Amino acid sequence: MDNQTTSSDAFLDEVAGQISYRPLRPAVVQELQDHIDDRISGYEEDGLSRSEAEKKAIAGMGDPIVIGTEINAVRHVRSNPILIMLTAILILCGFLSAAYMRWTPEQYVNGYLYYLPGTAILILTSLYSYPLLIRHWRRILHIFLSALLLWVAMAILQNLGWKYGFNRPSYLPIRHLYHIALLLGASLTIAIYYSRNRPDKLIIIFAASAGWILLCSWIARMESAIAVFVISFTGTTLYMMQRKMFSKVRFITVPLVLIIVTFLLLPAQKDTFREFTAPESTTQSRLQDTYNGLLIQELLFRTPTTEGLSLTPEELMDYGIGTWYFGSSYDNHKNIQPPYLHYSKNTVTLWDILPQHYHNNYLIATGIFMFGRLFGAILLAVIGSFFFIIFRCISRIRGQLAACVSVNCALCLLTQTLMYIAGNFGYQYGTFTNLPLISEGRVSIIVNMLLLGFIFSAYRYDKVVDEPISYHTAL
Amino acid sequence: MDKKYMALGTSMLVLKLLEQQEMYGYQIIKELECQSRQVFQLQEGTLYPILHSLEQQGAVTSQQKTADNGRMRKYYHITDTGRRLLQTKSEEWQVYQQAVNTVLGGVLFG
């Protein structure tokens, strides 16, 4: 130790200087300062002067650079470069598809307008969300739940307005059901975590969740949004059970089963499952989503491995009009074709016959048609690697709350992705979900960026931000 | 002594002390000196990287509390993971100790 570190201030400055995450420094310095103060008091009781006691106490502490460096080795912010690279690739794919797959100037602008702030939100969330959540979880939860209640009231009013024909609010909140379903899971995870030793609170949370599912089903037919919520909610609860976070498991098992049963017994579920598992059994018109699925399956079957799909003008017209599936009698349906499908045998291209009004829903399939099956396999491999690394990062998160919320966010992203991929192979469950980071939507791009940003943040700060110890905290 | 076994030994001793009661850093040092009859006298600051490392492993948790002297101190508390880790470290230490005794015994008393 050199001469400069004979005073406690100099010693502590030297230690703090080795710690890269500045917000951690005060706590480390305080703890060492307390130690030195206790030691000085001990030496003073033994009869040493204040300055001698301080000098001896500092000498006994050891090398401040070694101490600071070793603490920094244990407690530092971290990132996963491969995950960042894969995220950048997927966002770039989304950005390019927003430019390439859109049809009108308005759609171009929508794509750019939401990807650019979406990327900014991802970065900001990664940098700040976890420390903010740890400090202000209660306030954040209350704000979200208050907004949710307001939304529910407006949605009920709107739905009643539709049913009974009275004036309804001009703002249409139902379109945000999907986004709320994504964010609600993370919020409920925080609520469950802080109520994990309070059976009465847990029962209220689970009952409210079941009520939410029924309400969503009544308000709009959006089984896919409900499915994302139920799967991520159930997966997170099972994760918490597996990590033994609940004091009494039976208070969780029964309400969890209730949630799953509520979801499975929703009135529209039977038809949705039939359309999902056997689209051919319900297809009667080329305007149905199930027809899009059948068309996609047929075209994928015909696509080569290393090059794009090539069809004759006659085949293109058959696919475009629908006669390949319904037969020539289907010509009668021509008069209900969407008005923007203006093409003839002389002008038709592959682009014309794809389900254009949902083109962003079939981004993977469209990519395969254009570039071959190998392209699809590579894209799926990138997406698969992205999720593999996300879950591997989450498995390394030490903080229980951070891990629980991250699991919920990751399951939300994964469920949407799996449903989107299934839809791209002709098996669409309910309404189409989004493919996080790539397609589609506007607000959903931002919401998915928020979810991913939280996972990044929890992983980044896990070693430096401590969760407050609270053995019996409840809401 | 090999640095690895030094670290193994120190963290094992810290966990052993925390198994008896929760303590803050200075208290751990004092207790270590007392129970080892002044044999173990660490460079005191080196305790803190060990405590932070144990906390990262989930072996201990920490909490700010008022100490007997009326000052706020950061108390460390052993967890179930820490108890399991202590068990493992103790077994590793037994193997190491036996190996050393065998070699020393063989040379000196064989």
Side-chain angles (χ1 to χ4, degrees):
Chain A
M1 187 170 47
D2 58 42
N3 293 333
Q4 290 180 325
T5 52
T6 50
S7 79
S8 59
D9 286 346
F11 176 88
L12 295 169
D13 284 348
E14 201 80 88
V15 174
Q18 315 311 313
I19 297 169
S20 55
Y21 184 62
R22 288 174 181 269
L24 185 66
R25 292 178 181 177
V28 172
V29 164
Q30 185 62 52
E31 190 175 27
L32 291 170
Q33 177 77 66
D34 291 341
H35 185 114
I36 292 167
D37 288 346
D38 284 338
R39 187 54 97 183
I40 289 172
S41 301
Y43 286 141
E44 283 179 330
E45 282 169 19
D46 292 343
L48 293 182
S49 68
R50 173 79 194 179
S51 63
E52 284 172 330
E54 184 177 11
K55 201 177 284 183
K56 197 171 175 188
I58 300 295
M61 290 297 285
D63 188 335
I65 294 177
V66 172
I67 296 166
T69 305
E70 286 184 358
I71 290 176
N72 189 56
V74 178
R75 309 200 70 174
H76 56 271
V77 292
R78 61 181 171 178
S79 60
N80 188 316
I82 300 174
L83 182 59
I84 292 171
M85 188 185 72
L86 289 173
T87 303
I89 290 173
L90 293 179
I91 290 176
L92 188 65
C93 286
F95 194 76
L96 290 176
S97 71
Y100 190 68
M101 304 285 282
R102 305 282 175 170
W103 294 86
T104 66
E106 186 198 4
Q107 286 173 322
Y108 272 109
V109 173
N110 277 342
Y112 292 130
L113 274 185
Y114 286 87
Y115 267 101
L116 294 178
T119 307
I121 283 172
L122 173 65
I123 294 168
L124 289 174
T125 316
S126 305
L127 291 177
Y128 300 112
S129 64
Y130 182 57
L132 273 176
L133 177 74
I134 286 295
R135 271 184 238 128
H136 306 293
W137 67 270
R138 203 185 294 262
R139 193 174 298 167
I140 292 169
L141 195 59
H142 286 170
I143 291 171
F144 180 80
L145 292 179
S146 304
L148 177 67
L149 284 176
L150 184 66
W151 179 87
V152 167
M154 288 178 71
I156 289 173
L157 203 60
Q158 183 181 327
N159 218 35
L160 290 175
W162 274 338
K163 281 193 166 66
Y164 299 108
F166 60 80
N167 284 337
R168 55 185 183 270
S170 57
Y171 176 66
L172 302 177
I174 285 174
R175 74 174 88 150
H176 293 308
L177 190 148
Y178 188 85
H179 316 128
I180 289 174
L182 294 180
L183 291 173
L184 182 62
S187 310
L188 285 178
T189 302
I190 300 168
I192 291 172
Y193 180 77
Y194 281 111
S195 305
R196 62 194 186 280
N197 296 319
R198 291 284 303 272
D200 53 336
K201 301 271 183 189
L202 286 174
I203 287 170
I204 290 170
I205 293 168
F206 277 78
S209 302
W212 158 259
I213 292 169
L214 291 172
L215 181 75
C216 288
S217 173
W218 177 69
I219 288 173
R221 196 185 161 188
M222 288 190 74
E223 291 82 12
S224 51
I226 303 172
V228 171
F229 170 75
V230 170
I231 291 170
S232 56
F233 183 86
T234 305
T236 310
T237 310
L238 290 174
Y239 171 80
M240 294 172 82
M241 288 167 77
Q242 192 261 331
R243 294 269 304 253
K244 297 185 172 54
M245 292 186 198
F246 298 110
S247 55
K248 291 176 181 170
V249 173
R250 69 176 184 277
F251 285 113
I252 293 300
T253 311
V254 174
L256 188 60
V257 171
L258 176 75
I259 297 265
I260 296 168
V261 169
T262 305
F263 171 66
L264 293 175
L265 294 182
L266 288 176
Q269 205 64 275
K270 192 177 164 189
D271 288 343
T272 308
F273 266 113
R274 198 153 64 97
E275 289 166 1
F276 174 55
T277 54
E280 66 284 352
S281 66
T282 58
T283 303
Q284 292 170 336
S285 156
R286 65 182 294 284
L287 298 179
Q288 286 176 267
D289 280 356
T290 48
Y291 172 78
N292 291 336
L294 293 169
L295 176 63
I296 291 294
Q297 284 178 13
E298 165 72 10
L299 295 177
L300 283 174
F301 180 73
R302 296 193 58 175
T303 305
T305 303
T306 53
E307 58 187 76
L309 180 63
S310 176
L311 299 170
T312 65
E314 289 78 14
E315 288 173 323
L316 287 169
M317 286 305 289
D318 273 355
Y319 285 125
I321 296 168
T323 49
W324 72 278
Y325 188 76
F326 296 106
S328 56
S329 63
Y330 193 68
D331 287 354
N332 296 333
H333 286 259
K334 278 179 186 173
N335 59 350
I336 57 166
Q337 286 178 30
Y340 50 81
L341 290 184
H342 297 299
Y343 53 82
S344 67
K345 200 171 167 182
N346 296 327
T347 59
V348 65
T349 65
L350 175 66
W351 207 246
D352 293 319
I353 67 163
L354 298 178
Q356 296 170 30
H357 50 302
Y358 296 144
H359 56 269
N360 256 13
N361 285 349
Y362 295 101
L363 206 61
I364 296 173
T366 305
I368 294 172
F369 299 149
M370 291 170 68
F371 305 112
R373 290 183 187 179
L374 188 60
F375 170 83
I378 293 170
L379 184 57
L380 291 179
V382 172
I383 294 171
S385 307
F386 171 75
F387 279 103
F388 174 76
I389 294 173
I390 277 193
F391 279 100
R392 206 176 62 166
C393 286
I394 291 173
S395 72
R396 291 175 180 170
I397 293 177
R398 172 189 57 101
Q400 288 191 330
L401 175 63
C404 293
V405 180
S406 298
V407 164
N408 187 274
C409 294
L411 286 174
C412 271
L413 297 171
L414 179 65
T415 311
Q416 291 177 82
T417 303
L418 291 178
M419 289 169 75
Y420 184 94
I421 291 172
N424 272 256
F425 286 88
Y427 296 97
Q428 180 181 334
Y429 175 82
T431 47
F432 242 99
T433 57
N434 304 304
L435 181 57
L437 307 184
I438 299 182
S439 165
E440 81 181 292
R442 293 175 289 185
V443 179
S444 62
I445 291 174
I446 294 192
V447 172
N448 281 320
M449 294 286 193
L450 274 173
L451 297 179
L452 182 61
F454 183 82
I455 299 171
F456 276 33
S457 189
Y459 182 73
R460 177 178 171 80
Y461 293 111
D462 182 52
K463 284 176 175 281
V464 290
V465 177
D466 289 327
E467 201 175 294
I469 301 271
S470 52
Y471 296 105
H472 303 292
T473 308
L475 299 173
Chain B
M1 190 189 290
D2 187 307
K3 202 176 174 185
K4 181 189 161 192
Y5 286 102
M6 276 284 285
L8 169 71
T10 312
S11 54
M12 182 179 69
L13 294 174
V14 169
L15 286 173
K16 188 67 189 170
L17 291 177
L18 293 176
E19 195 185 33
Q20 296 158 15
Q21 59 167 315
E22 60 178 14
M23 293 183 201
Y24 56 96
Y26 180 70
Q27 194 180 0
I28 293 171
I29 293 282
K30 293 284 282 182
E31 200 63 33
L32 199 56
E33 287 172 0
C34 177
Q35 290 194 19
S36 70
R37 294 175 191 162
Q38 311 300 319
V39 171
F40 295 129
Q41 291 187 327
L42 296 176
Q43 293 272 289
E44 297 176 16
T46 59
L47 172 71
Y48 291 93
I50 292 170
L51 285 170
H52 281 274
S53 174
L54 289 172
E55 198 172 11
Q56 288 298 311
Q57 293 171 54
V60 300
T61 56
S62 62
Q63 195 177 11
Q64 292 282 347
K65 280 170 67 173
T66 310
D68 293 339
N69 58 11
R71 295 171 179 167
M72 285 299 287
R73 290 290 179 264
K74 189 176 176 185
Y75 276 81
Y76 291 89
H77 173 92
I78 192 167
T79 63
D80 289 342
T81 307
R83 287 178 214 283
R84 284 194 294 274
L85 187 64
L86 174 61
Q87 177 70 26
T88 310
K89 281 178 182 290
S90 302
E91 286 165 9
E92 278 178 34
W93 185 260
Q94 294 294 337
V95 171
Y96 177 76
Q97 190 187 29
Q98 261 179 6
V100 171
N101 286 343
T102 305
V103 172
L104 290 180
V107 172
L108 294 174
F109 309 110

